[in-house]
Amino acid sequence: FRGDAQASEASVGVGGWRCDHAAGCAPWFSVEVTPTNAPWAFSCGAAFRTIAALELFTSLLSIKLLHDDTADNDQQLTVSGETDNRGNMFIAKRMATTKFPLCAILMEITWHLALKGQTLRLQWLLREQNEEADNLSNAVCHQFNPTKRIQVDLAELKFHLLSEMLQ
């Protein structure tokens, strides 16, 4: 998957797509983040102060929504993702951070992957190479097939630990 997040004074959004398909054929999502559906993103005042957490949250959503986990039970599966946030690549590699709310999101990712015996390989890529995901985070979706869109209601999405930890 490839994912991205954006936060400005006017809007906050996350988006991602499964990049083993061409953009026009790939499953994808684009979600507006608001104080109602993700109050934690605004816990430091403006959402741009939690941009790293929003970017890691996009990776979590990508794992939950875009990942096909129908692998053989005897085989460990590695989930691959790409982000233009270099810090999150290091956080995912060592599976450790003490910064809130990043730590809560990372724990949810770890829990989700551990239940399925999976690992995450999150790689960094240049911002210019992540334009499709950047567009999705800005709700610019014209290059993606609307029938492949995964509708997401953040308030209804079930997490193992995250909701409780963020409260």
Side-chain angles (χ1 to χ4, degrees):
F1 67 85
R2 284 189 180 175
D4 203 7
Q6 68 83 18
S8 68
E9 289 185 26
S11 68
V12 180
V14 296
W17 64 292
R18 188 171 170 148
C19 60
D20 60 348
H21 298 75
C25 303
W28 61 278
F29 66 92
S30 178
V31 182
E32 181 182 15
V33 177
T34 67
T36 303
N37 67 14
W40 59 267
F42 301 85
S43 63
C44 297
F48 70 85
R49 296 180 191 269
T50 59
I51 191 65
L54 284 163
E55 298 252 7
L56 194 61
F57 185 67
T58 303
S59 294
L60 171 60
L61 291 178
S62 296
I63 292 166
K64 286 182 71 71
L65 302 171
L66 303 175
H67 175 58
D68 178 16
D69 57 10
T70 58
D72 184 348
N73 289 341
D74 297 332
Q75 183 180 36
Q76 181 160 356
L77 188 63
T78 298
V79 179
S80 296
E82 296 175 322
T83 179
D84 57 22
N85 185 304
R86 187 175 284 206
N88 283 350
M89 178 193 70
F90 293 119
I91 288 169
K93 187 173 188 171
R94 66 178 191 258
M95 284 297 185
T97 183
T98 58
K99 190 168 184 176
F100 186 83
L102 270 171
C103 60
I105 296 165
L106 182 62
M107 284 185 232
E108 179 69 29
I109 289 173
T110 304
W111 180 273
H112 184 83
L113 294 171
L115 283 177
K116 299 177 189 300
Q118 300 168 346
T119 58
L120 173 63
R121 182 177 51 114
L122 191 60
Q123 296 184 166
W124 174 77
L125 74 161
L126 294 171
R127 191 170 309 274
E128 296 79 27
Q129 295 174 333
N130 205 26
E131 288 181 23
E132 295 92 347
D134 182 55
N135 286 341
L136 291 175
S137 72
N138 285 290
V140 177
C141 309
H142 65 273
Q143 66 193 118
F144 289 88
N145 184 337
T147 65
K148 297 288 189 173
R149 183 175 192 161
I150 299 168
Q151 296 295 332
V152 181
D153 181 349
L154 294 180
E156 297 296 318
L157 206 54
K158 300 292 184 226
F159 296 104
H160 298 283
L161 304 168
L162 186 64
S163 302
E164 194 174 315
M165 292 184 68
L166 291 175
Q167 288 177 357

PDB file of all heavy atoms in Angstrom, residues 47-84:
ATOM      1  N   ALA A  47      -4.539  20.177  13.907  1.00  0.00           N
ATOM      2  CA  ALA A  47      -4.207  18.806  13.510  1.00  0.00           C
ATOM      3  C   ALA A  47      -2.818  18.682  12.898  1.00  0.00           C
ATOM      4  O   ALA A  47      -2.221  17.609  12.960  1.00  0.00           O
ATOM      5  CB  ALA A  47      -5.254  18.277  12.544  1.00  0.00           C
ATOM      6  N   PHE A  48      -2.264  19.775  12.351  1.00  0.00           N
ATOM      7  CA  PHE A  48      -0.927  19.662  11.757  1.00  0.00           C
ATOM      8  C   PHE A  48       0.119  19.315  12.820  1.00  0.00           C
ATOM      9  O   PHE A  48       1.190  18.817  12.500  1.00  0.00           O
ATOM     10  CB  PHE A  48      -0.535  20.930  10.994  1.00  0.00           C
ATOM     11  CG  PHE A  48      -0.274  22.129  11.853  1.00  0.00           C
ATOM     12  CD1 PHE A  48       0.967  22.336  12.434  1.00  0.00           C
ATOM     13  CD2 PHE A  48      -1.274  23.068  12.072  1.00  0.00           C
ATOM     14  CE1 PHE A  48       1.214  23.449  13.225  1.00  0.00           C
ATOM     15  CE2 PHE A  48      -1.045  24.179  12.863  1.00  0.00           C
ATOM     16  CZ  PHE A  48       0.204  24.369  13.441  1.00  0.00           C
ATOM     17  N   ARG A  49      -0.203  19.525  14.084  1.00  0.00           N
ATOM     18  CA  ARG A  49       0.728  19.167  15.163  1.00  0.00           C
ATOM     19  C   ARG A  49       0.784  17.656  15.395  1.00  0.00           C
ATOM     20  O   ARG A  49       1.683  17.180  16.080  1.00  0.00           O
ATOM     21  CB  ARG A  49       0.334  19.874  16.457  1.00  0.00           C
ATOM     22  CG  ARG A  49       0.448  21.380  16.368  1.00  0.00           C
ATOM     23  CD  ARG A  49       0.051  22.011  17.691  1.00  0.00           C
ATOM     24  NE  ARG A  49      -0.096  23.433  17.580  1.00  0.00           N
ATOM     25  CZ  ARG A  49       0.880  24.301  17.801  1.00  0.00           C
ATOM     26  NH1 ARG A  49       2.062  23.866  18.136  1.00  0.00           N
ATOM     27  NH2 ARG A  49       0.659  25.585  17.684  1.00  0.00           N
ATOM     28  N   THR A  50      -0.166  16.927  14.842  1.00  0.00           N
ATOM     29  CA  THR A  50      -0.176  15.466  14.976  1.00  0.00           C
ATOM     30  C   THR A  50      -0.011  14.788  13.619  1.00  0.00           C
ATOM     31  O   THR A  50      -0.467  13.667  13.420  1.00  0.00           O
ATOM     32  CB  THR A  50      -1.477  14.982  15.646  1.00  0.00           C
ATOM     33  OG1 THR A  50      -2.590  15.399  14.844  1.00  0.00           O
ATOM     34  CG2 THR A  50      -1.610  15.490  17.061  1.00  0.00           C
ATOM     35  N   ILE A  51       0.653  15.443  12.682  1.00  0.00           N
ATOM     36  CA  ILE A  51       0.749  14.909  11.318  1.00  0.00           C
ATOM     37  C   ILE A  51       1.443  13.556  11.281  1.00  0.00           C
ATOM     38  O   ILE A  51       1.037  12.668  10.525  1.00  0.00           O
ATOM     39  CB  ILE A  51       1.406  15.924  10.342  1.00  0.00           C
ATOM     40  CG1 ILE A  51       1.234  15.458   8.889  1.00  0.00           C
ATOM     41  CG2 ILE A  51       2.852  16.174  10.684  1.00  0.00           C
ATOM     42  CD1 ILE A  51      -0.181  15.424   8.390  1.00  0.00           C
ATOM     43  N   ALA A  52       2.472  13.324  12.068  1.00  0.00           N
ATOM     44  CA  ALA A  52       3.129  12.011  12.075  1.00  0.00           C
ATOM     45  C   ALA A  52       2.150  10.929  12.527  1.00  0.00           C
ATOM     46  O   ALA A  52       2.127   9.830  11.965  1.00  0.00           O
ATOM     47  CB  ALA A  52       4.364  12.027  12.973  1.00  0.00           C
ATOM     48  N   ALA A  53       1.322  11.239  13.525  1.00  0.00           N
ATOM     49  CA  ALA A  53       0.315  10.283  13.986  1.00  0.00           C
ATOM     50  C   ALA A  53      -0.735  10.049  12.901  1.00  0.00           C
ATOM     51  O   ALA A  53      -1.177   8.912  12.690  1.00  0.00           O
ATOM     52  CB  ALA A  53      -0.337  10.772  15.268  1.00  0.00           C
ATOM     53  N   LEU A  54      -1.136  11.099  12.207  1.00  0.00           N
ATOM     54  CA  LEU A  54      -2.086  10.940  11.105  1.00  0.00           C
ATOM     55  C   LEU A  54      -1.503  10.062  10.002  1.00  0.00           C
ATOM     56  O   LEU A  54      -2.197   9.232   9.419  1.00  0.00           O
ATOM     57  CB  LEU A  54      -2.491  12.304  10.546  1.00  0.00           C
ATOM     58  CG  LEU A  54      -3.471  13.098  11.398  1.00  0.00           C
ATOM     59  CD1 LEU A  54      -3.481  14.564  10.991  1.00  0.00           C
ATOM     60  CD2 LEU A  54      -4.863  12.499  11.294  1.00  0.00           C
ATOM     61  N   GLU A  55      -0.222  10.244   9.712  1.00  0.00           N
ATOM     62  CA  GLU A  55       0.439   9.422   8.687  1.00  0.00           C
ATOM     63  C   GLU A  55       0.489   7.960   9.128  1.00  0.00           C
ATOM     64  O   GLU A  55       0.240   7.057   8.325  1.00  0.00           O
ATOM     65  CB  GLU A  55       1.848   9.946   8.416  1.00  0.00           C
ATOM     66  CG  GLU A  55       1.868  11.359   7.878  1.00  0.00           C
ATOM     67  CD  GLU A  55       2.234  11.450   6.412  1.00  0.00           C
ATOM     68  OE1 GLU A  55       2.349  10.410   5.752  1.00  0.00           O
ATOM     69  OE2 GLU A  55       2.395  12.583   5.935  1.00  0.00           O
ATOM     70  N   LEU A  56       0.816   7.700  10.395  1.00  0.00           N
ATOM     71  CA  LEU A  56       0.854   6.317  10.880  1.00  0.00           C
ATOM     72  C   LEU A  56      -0.563   5.736  10.942  1.00  0.00           C
ATOM     73  O   LEU A  56      -0.772   4.549  10.671  1.00  0.00           O
ATOM     74  CB  LEU A  56       1.539   6.241  12.241  1.00  0.00           C
ATOM     75  CG  LEU A  56       1.943   4.839  12.691  1.00  0.00           C
ATOM     76  CD1 LEU A  56       2.946   4.212  11.723  1.00  0.00           C
ATOM     77  CD2 LEU A  56       2.534   4.878  14.095  1.00  0.00           C
ATOM     78  N   PHE A  57      -1.542   6.564  11.265  1.00  0.00           N
ATOM     79  CA  PHE A  57      -2.941   6.133  11.254  1.00  0.00           C
ATOM     80  C   PHE A  57      -3.351   5.707   9.842  1.00  0.00           C
ATOM     81  O   PHE A  57      -4.096   4.734   9.666  1.00  0.00           O
ATOM     82  CB  PHE A  57      -3.839   7.262  11.773  1.00  0.00           C
ATOM     83  CG  PHE A  57      -5.285   6.890  11.907  1.00  0.00           C
ATOM     84  CD1 PHE A  57      -5.698   5.957  12.835  1.00  0.00           C
ATOM     85  CD2 PHE A  57      -6.233   7.502  11.104  1.00  0.00           C
ATOM     86  CE1 PHE A  57      -7.040   5.620  12.961  1.00  0.00           C
ATOM     87  CE2 PHE A  57      -7.577   7.178  11.226  1.00  0.00           C
ATOM     88  CZ  PHE A  57      -7.979   6.231  12.148  1.00  0.00           C
ATOM     89  N   THR A  58      -2.848   6.410   8.839  1.00  0.00           N
ATOM     90  CA  THR A  58      -3.113   6.036   7.455  1.00  0.00           C
ATOM     91  C   THR A  58      -2.549   4.649   7.170  1.00  0.00           C
ATOM     92  O   THR A  58      -3.185   3.839   6.492  1.00  0.00           O
ATOM     93  CB  THR A  58      -2.505   7.073   6.488  1.00  0.00           C
ATOM     94  OG1 THR A  58      -3.045   8.353   6.793  1.00  0.00           O
ATOM     95  CG2 THR A  58      -2.818   6.730   5.051  1.00  0.00           C
ATOM     96  N   SER A  59      -1.358   4.362   7.705  1.00  0.00           N
ATOM     97  CA  SER A  59      -0.786   3.017   7.543  1.00  0.00           C
ATOM     98  C   SER A  59      -1.669   1.974   8.225  1.00  0.00           C
ATOM     99  O   SER A  59      -1.898   0.893   7.672  1.00  0.00           O
ATOM    100  CB  SER A  59       0.632   2.961   8.103  1.00  0.00           C
ATOM    101  OG  SER A  59       1.495   3.778   7.344  1.00  0.00           O
ATOM    102  N   LEU A  60      -2.170   2.283   9.414  1.00  0.00           N
ATOM    103  CA  LEU A  60      -3.079   1.374  10.113  1.00  0.00           C
ATOM    104  C   LEU A  60      -4.332   1.119   9.279  1.00  0.00           C
ATOM    105  O   LEU A  60      -4.749  -0.030   9.093  1.00  0.00           O
ATOM    106  CB  LEU A  60      -3.454   1.947  11.485  1.00  0.00           C
ATOM    107  CG  LEU A  60      -4.566   1.227  12.249  1.00  0.00           C
ATOM    108  CD1 LEU A  60      -4.196  -0.223  12.537  1.00  0.00           C
ATOM    109  CD2 LEU A  60      -4.887   1.972  13.534  1.00  0.00           C
ATOM    110  N   LEU A  61      -4.935   2.172   8.764  1.00  0.00           N
ATOM    111  CA  LEU A  61      -6.127   2.006   7.928  1.00  0.00           C
ATOM    112  C   LEU A  61      -5.805   1.184   6.686  1.00  0.00           C
ATOM    113  O   LEU A  61      -6.600   0.331   6.278  1.00  0.00           O
ATOM    114  CB  LEU A  61      -6.694   3.368   7.523  1.00  0.00           C
ATOM    115  CG  LEU A  61      -7.328   4.200   8.630  1.00  0.00           C
ATOM    116  CD1 LEU A  61      -7.792   5.542   8.081  1.00  0.00           C
ATOM    117  CD2 LEU A  61      -8.473   3.466   9.296  1.00  0.00           C
ATOM    118  N   SER A  62      -4.647   1.426   6.093  1.00  0.00           N
ATOM    119  CA  SER A  62      -4.252   0.669   4.898  1.00  0.00           C
ATOM    120  C   SER A  62      -4.106  -0.811   5.213  1.00  0.00           C
ATOM    121  O   SER A  62      -4.533  -1.665   4.432  1.00  0.00           O
ATOM    122  CB  SER A  62      -2.940   1.221   4.338  1.00  0.00           C
ATOM    123  OG  SER A  62      -3.106   2.550   3.900  1.00  0.00           O
ATOM    124  N   ILE A  63      -3.518  -1.128   6.354  1.00  0.00           N
ATOM    125  CA  ILE A  63      -3.372  -2.531   6.757  1.00  0.00           C
ATOM    126  C   ILE A  63      -4.751  -3.161   6.950  1.00  0.00           C
ATOM    127  O   ILE A  63      -5.019  -4.263   6.479  1.00  0.00           O
ATOM    128  CB  ILE A  63      -2.528  -2.641   8.039  1.00  0.00           C
ATOM    129  CG1 ILE A  63      -1.074  -2.244   7.756  1.00  0.00           C
ATOM    130  CG2 ILE A  63      -2.606  -4.051   8.617  1.00  0.00           C
ATOM    131  CD1 ILE A  63      -0.249  -1.988   9.009  1.00  0.00           C
ATOM    132  N   LYS A  64      -5.638  -2.457   7.634  1.00  0.00           N
ATOM    133  CA  LYS A  64      -6.972  -2.990   7.919  1.00  0.00           C
ATOM    134  C   LYS A  64      -7.851  -3.088   6.674  1.00  0.00           C
ATOM    135  O   LYS A  64      -8.592  -4.054   6.515  1.00  0.00           O
ATOM    136  CB  LYS A  64      -7.693  -2.114   8.955  1.00  0.00           C
ATOM    137  CG  LYS A  64      -7.181  -2.260  10.363  1.00  0.00           C
ATOM    138  CD  LYS A  64      -7.956  -1.410  11.343  1.00  0.00           C
ATOM    139  CE  LYS A  64      -9.338  -1.871  11.618  1.00  0.00           C
ATOM    140  NZ  LYS A  64      -9.503  -3.095  12.392  1.00  0.00           N
ATOM    141  N   LEU A  65      -7.782  -2.095   5.795  1.00  0.00           N
ATOM    142  CA  LEU A  65      -8.732  -2.006   4.692  1.00  0.00           C
ATOM    143  C   LEU A  65      -8.231  -2.580   3.367  1.00  0.00           C
ATOM    144  O   LEU A  65      -9.019  -3.066   2.569  1.00  0.00           O
ATOM    145  CB  LEU A  65      -9.126  -0.544   4.462  1.00  0.00           C
ATOM    146  CG  LEU A  65      -9.747   0.184   5.644  1.00  0.00           C
ATOM    147  CD1 LEU A  65      -9.875   1.667   5.348  1.00  0.00           C
ATOM    148  CD2 LEU A  65     -11.094  -0.427   5.996  1.00  0.00           C
ATOM    149  N   LEU A  66      -6.940  -2.485   3.132  1.00  0.00           N
ATOM    150  CA  LEU A  66      -6.412  -2.837   1.811  1.00  0.00           C
ATOM    151  C   LEU A  66      -5.676  -4.161   1.773  1.00  0.00           C
ATOM    152  O   LEU A  66      -5.402  -4.688   0.703  1.00  0.00           O
ATOM    153  CB  LEU A  66      -5.444  -1.741   1.320  1.00  0.00           C
ATOM    154  CG  LEU A  66      -6.006  -0.334   1.225  1.00  0.00           C
ATOM    155  CD1 LEU A  66      -4.906   0.635   0.846  1.00  0.00           C
ATOM    156  CD2 LEU A  66      -7.144  -0.277   0.209  1.00  0.00           C
ATOM    157  N   HIS A  67      -5.337  -4.693   2.933  1.00  0.00           N
ATOM    158  CA  HIS A  67      -4.488  -5.869   2.998  1.00  0.00           C
ATOM    159  C   HIS A  67      -5.310  -7.145   2.897  1.00  0.00           C
ATOM    160  O   HIS A  67      -6.259  -7.327   3.646  1.00  0.00           O
ATOM    161  CB  HIS A  67      -3.691  -5.844   4.305  1.00  0.00           C
ATOM    162  CG  HIS A  67      -2.870  -7.063   4.514  1.00  0.00           C
ATOM    163  ND1 HIS A  67      -1.912  -7.472   3.636  1.00  0.00           N
ATOM    164  CD2 HIS A  67      -2.890  -7.982   5.497  1.00  0.00           C
ATOM    165  CE1 HIS A  67      -1.361  -8.572   4.073  1.00  0.00           C
ATOM    166  NE2 HIS A  67      -1.949  -8.903   5.199  1.00  0.00           N
ATOM    167  N   ASP A  68      -4.930  -8.004   1.996  1.00  0.00           N
ATOM    168  CA  ASP A  68      -5.557  -9.313   1.852  1.00  0.00           C
ATOM    169  C   ASP A  68      -4.808 -10.284   2.740  1.00  0.00           C
ATOM    170  O   ASP A  68      -3.672 -10.647   2.463  1.00  0.00           O
ATOM    171  CB  ASP A  68      -5.497  -9.761   0.391  1.00  0.00           C
ATOM    172  CG  ASP A  68      -6.098 -11.133   0.188  1.00  0.00           C
ATOM    173  OD1 ASP A  68      -6.820 -11.614   1.077  1.00  0.00           O
ATOM    174  OD2 ASP A  68      -5.835 -11.728  -0.870  1.00  0.00           O
ATOM    175  N   ASP A  69      -5.427 -10.719   3.833  1.00  0.00           N
ATOM    176  CA  ASP A  69      -4.728 -11.577   4.783  1.00  0.00           C
ATOM    177  C   ASP A  69      -5.155 -13.036   4.661  1.00  0.00           C
ATOM    178  O   ASP A  69      -5.270 -13.746   5.641  1.00  0.00           O
ATOM    179  CB  ASP A  69      -4.908 -11.075   6.217  1.00  0.00           C
ATOM    180  CG  ASP A  69      -6.366 -10.956   6.617  1.00  0.00           C
ATOM    181  OD1 ASP A  69      -7.245 -11.429   5.872  1.00  0.00           O
ATOM    182  OD2 ASP A  69      -6.619 -10.403   7.671  1.00  0.00           O
ATOM    183  N   THR A  70      -5.366 -13.483   3.445  1.00  0.00           N
ATOM    184  CA  THR A  70      -5.786 -14.862   3.206  1.00  0.00           C
ATOM    185  C   THR A  70      -4.595 -15.759   2.900  1.00  0.00           C
ATOM    186  O   THR A  70      -4.667 -16.640   2.074  1.00  0.00           O
ATOM    187  CB  THR A  70      -6.795 -14.921   2.046  1.00  0.00           C
ATOM    188  OG1 THR A  70      -6.175 -14.346   0.882  1.00  0.00           O
ATOM    189  CG2 THR A  70      -8.062 -14.179   2.377  1.00  0.00           C
ATOM    190  N   ALA A  71      -3.489 -15.556   3.570  1.00  0.00           N
ATOM    191  CA  ALA A  71      -2.293 -16.367   3.341  1.00  0.00           C
ATOM    192  C   ALA A  71      -2.409 -17.708   4.051  1.00  0.00           C
ATOM    193  O   ALA A  71      -3.218 -17.894   4.954  1.00  0.00           O
ATOM    194  CB  ALA A  71      -1.054 -15.630   3.848  1.00  0.00           C
ATOM    195  N   ASP A  72      -1.569 -18.632   3.654  1.00  0.00           N
ATOM    196  CA  ASP A  72      -1.456 -19.933   4.293  1.00  0.00           C
ATOM    197  C   ASP A  72      -1.080 -19.730   5.761  1.00  0.00           C
ATOM    198  O   ASP A  72      -0.184 -18.964   6.078  1.00  0.00           O
ATOM    199  CB  ASP A  72      -0.381 -20.734   3.561  1.00  0.00           C
ATOM    200  CG  ASP A  72      -0.243 -22.145   4.085  1.00  0.00           C
ATOM    201  OD1 ASP A  72      -0.805 -22.454   5.152  1.00  0.00           O
ATOM    202  OD2 ASP A  72       0.433 -22.933   3.411  1.00  0.00           O
ATOM    203  N   ASN A  73      -1.745 -20.412   6.670  1.00  0.00           N
ATOM    204  CA  ASN A  73      -1.488 -20.245   8.105  1.00  0.00           C
ATOM    205  C   ASN A  73      -0.074 -20.618   8.510  1.00  0.00           C
ATOM    206  O   ASN A  73       0.420 -20.167   9.527  1.00  0.00           O
ATOM    207  CB  ASN A  73      -2.490 -21.073   8.923  1.00  0.00           C
ATOM    208  CG  ASN A  73      -3.883 -20.488   8.867  1.00  0.00           C
ATOM    209  OD1 ASN A  73      -4.050 -19.319   8.535  1.00  0.00           O
ATOM    210  ND2 ASN A  73      -4.871 -21.294   9.158  1.00  0.00           N
ATOM    211  N   ASP A  74       0.585 -21.489   7.746  1.00  0.00           N
ATOM    212  CA  ASP A  74       1.943 -21.913   8.078  1.00  0.00           C
ATOM    213  C   ASP A  74       2.992 -20.919   7.579  1.00  0.00           C
ATOM    214  O   ASP A  74       4.177 -21.097   7.807  1.00  0.00           O
ATOM    215  CB  ASP A  74       2.242 -23.292   7.470  1.00  0.00           C
ATOM    216  CG  ASP A  74       1.336 -24.361   8.057  1.00  0.00           C
ATOM    217  OD1 ASP A  74       0.906 -24.191   9.218  1.00  0.00           O
ATOM    218  OD2 ASP A  74       1.077 -25.351   7.362  1.00  0.00           O
ATOM    219  N   GLN A  75       2.570 -19.914   6.891  1.00  0.00           N
ATOM    220  CA  GLN A  75       3.496 -18.986   6.262  1.00  0.00           C
ATOM    221  C   GLN A  75       3.346 -17.605   6.896  1.00  0.00           C
ATOM    222  O   GLN A  75       2.244 -17.083   7.014  1.00  0.00           O
ATOM    223  CB  GLN A  75       3.153 -18.919   4.767  1.00  0.00           C
ATOM    224  CG  GLN A  75       4.033 -18.059   3.935  1.00  0.00           C
ATOM    225  CD  GLN A  75       3.576 -18.089   2.483  1.00  0.00           C
ATOM    226  OE1 GLN A  75       2.390 -18.153   2.196  1.00  0.00           O
ATOM    227  NE2 GLN A  75       4.519 -18.029   1.584  1.00  0.00           N
ATOM    228  N   GLN A  76       4.464 -17.020   7.320  1.00  0.00           N
ATOM    229  CA  GLN A  76       4.403 -15.668   7.876  1.00  0.00           C
ATOM    230  C   GLN A  76       4.327 -14.680   6.719  1.00  0.00           C
ATOM    231  O   GLN A  76       5.072 -14.765   5.763  1.00  0.00           O
ATOM    232  CB  GLN A  76       5.621 -15.352   8.727  1.00  0.00           C
ATOM    233  CG  GLN A  76       5.522 -13.962   9.311  1.00  0.00           C
ATOM    234  CD  GLN A  76       6.407 -13.761  10.509  1.00  0.00           C
ATOM    235  OE1 GLN A  76       7.056 -14.666  10.974  1.00  0.00           O
ATOM    236  NE2 GLN A  76       6.424 -12.553  11.004  1.00  0.00           N
ATOM    237  N   LEU A  77       3.420 -13.756   6.830  1.00  0.00           N
ATOM    238  CA  LEU A  77       3.184 -12.785   5.776  1.00  0.00           C
ATOM    239  C   LEU A  77       3.762 -11.441   6.183  1.00  0.00           C
ATOM    240  O   LEU A  77       3.601 -11.013   7.328  1.00  0.00           O
ATOM    241  CB  LEU A  77       1.678 -12.665   5.542  1.00  0.00           C
ATOM    242  CG  LEU A  77       1.203 -11.844   4.364  1.00  0.00           C
ATOM    243  CD1 LEU A  77       1.686 -12.458   3.058  1.00  0.00           C
ATOM    244  CD2 LEU A  77      -0.309 -11.788   4.361  1.00  0.00           C
ATOM    245  N   THR A  78       4.431 -10.788   5.254  1.00  0.00           N
ATOM    246  CA  THR A  78       4.935  -9.439   5.490  1.00  0.00           C
ATOM    247  C   THR A  78       4.043  -8.463   4.731  1.00  0.00           C
ATOM    248  O   THR A  78       3.837  -8.603   3.536  1.00  0.00           O
ATOM    249  CB  THR A  78       6.386  -9.302   4.994  1.00  0.00           C
ATOM    250  OG1 THR A  78       7.200 -10.206   5.733  1.00  0.00           O
ATOM    251  CG2 THR A  78       6.891  -7.891   5.197  1.00  0.00           C
ATOM    252  N   VAL A  79       3.507  -7.517   5.455  1.00  0.00           N
ATOM    253  CA  VAL A  79       2.696  -6.463   4.862  1.00  0.00           C
ATOM    254  C   VAL A  79       3.646  -5.339   4.480  1.00  0.00           C
ATOM    255  O   VAL A  79       4.390  -4.842   5.319  1.00  0.00           O
ATOM    256  CB  VAL A  79       1.640  -5.956   5.868  1.00  0.00           C
ATOM    257  CG1 VAL A  79       0.810  -4.850   5.263  1.00  0.00           C
ATOM    258  CG2 VAL A  79       0.768  -7.096   6.358  1.00  0.00           C
ATOM    259  N   SER A  80       3.632  -4.945   3.210  1.00  0.00           N
ATOM    260  CA  SER A  80       4.525  -3.892   2.735  1.00  0.00           C
ATOM    261  C   SER A  80       3.753  -2.609   2.501  1.00  0.00           C
ATOM    262  O   SER A  80       2.664  -2.625   1.935  1.00  0.00           O
ATOM    263  CB  SER A  80       5.189  -4.313   1.416  1.00  0.00           C
ATOM    264  OG  SER A  80       6.000  -5.428   1.621  1.00  0.00           O
ATOM    265  N   GLY A  81       4.343  -1.512   2.955  1.00  0.00           N
ATOM    266  CA  GLY A  81       3.736  -0.211   2.750  1.00  0.00           C
ATOM    267  C   GLY A  81       4.794   0.825   2.474  1.00  0.00           C
ATOM    268  O   GLY A  81       5.976   0.629   2.786  1.00  0.00           O
ATOM    269  N   GLU A  82       4.362   1.928   1.908  1.00  0.00           N
ATOM    270  CA  GLU A  82       5.272   3.028   1.607  1.00  0.00           C
ATOM    271  C   GLU A  82       4.650   4.325   2.096  1.00  0.00           C
ATOM    272  O   GLU A  82       3.444   4.535   1.972  1.00  0.00           O
ATOM    273  CB  GLU A  82       5.551   3.097   0.111  1.00  0.00           C
ATOM    274  CG  GLU A  82       6.264   1.855  -0.394  1.00  0.00           C
ATOM    275  CD  GLU A  82       6.452   1.842  -1.893  1.00  0.00           C
ATOM    276  OE1 GLU A  82       5.558   2.280  -2.629  1.00  0.00           O
ATOM    277  OE2 GLU A  82       7.521   1.372  -2.322  1.00  0.00           O
ATOM    278  N   THR A  83       5.496   5.170   2.650  1.00  0.00           N
ATOM    279  CA  THR A  83       5.072   6.449   3.200  1.00  0.00           C
ATOM    280  C   THR A  83       6.127   7.498   2.898  1.00  0.00           C
ATOM    281  O   THR A  83       7.299   7.166   2.738  1.00  0.00           O
ATOM    282  CB  THR A  83       4.856   6.355   4.725  1.00  0.00           C
ATOM    283  OG1 THR A  83       4.467   7.631   5.231  1.00  0.00           O
ATOM    284  CG2 THR A  83       6.107   5.887   5.445  1.00  0.00           C
ATOM    285  N   ASP A  84       5.709   8.739   2.819  1.00  0.00           N
ATOM    286  CA  ASP A  84       6.691   9.813   2.632  1.00  0.00           C
ATOM    287  C   ASP A  84       7.073  10.444   3.976  1.00  0.00           C
ATOM    288  O   ASP A  84       7.686  11.488   4.017  1.00  0.00           O
ATOM    289  CB  ASP A  84       6.207  10.860   1.629  1.00  0.00           C
ATOM    290  CG  ASP A  84       4.876  11.489   1.992  1.00  0.00           C
ATOM    291  OD1 ASP A  84       4.504  11.462   3.179  1.00  0.00           O
ATOM    292  OD2 ASP A  84       4.212  12.003   1.088  1.00  0.00           O
TER     293      ASP A  84
END
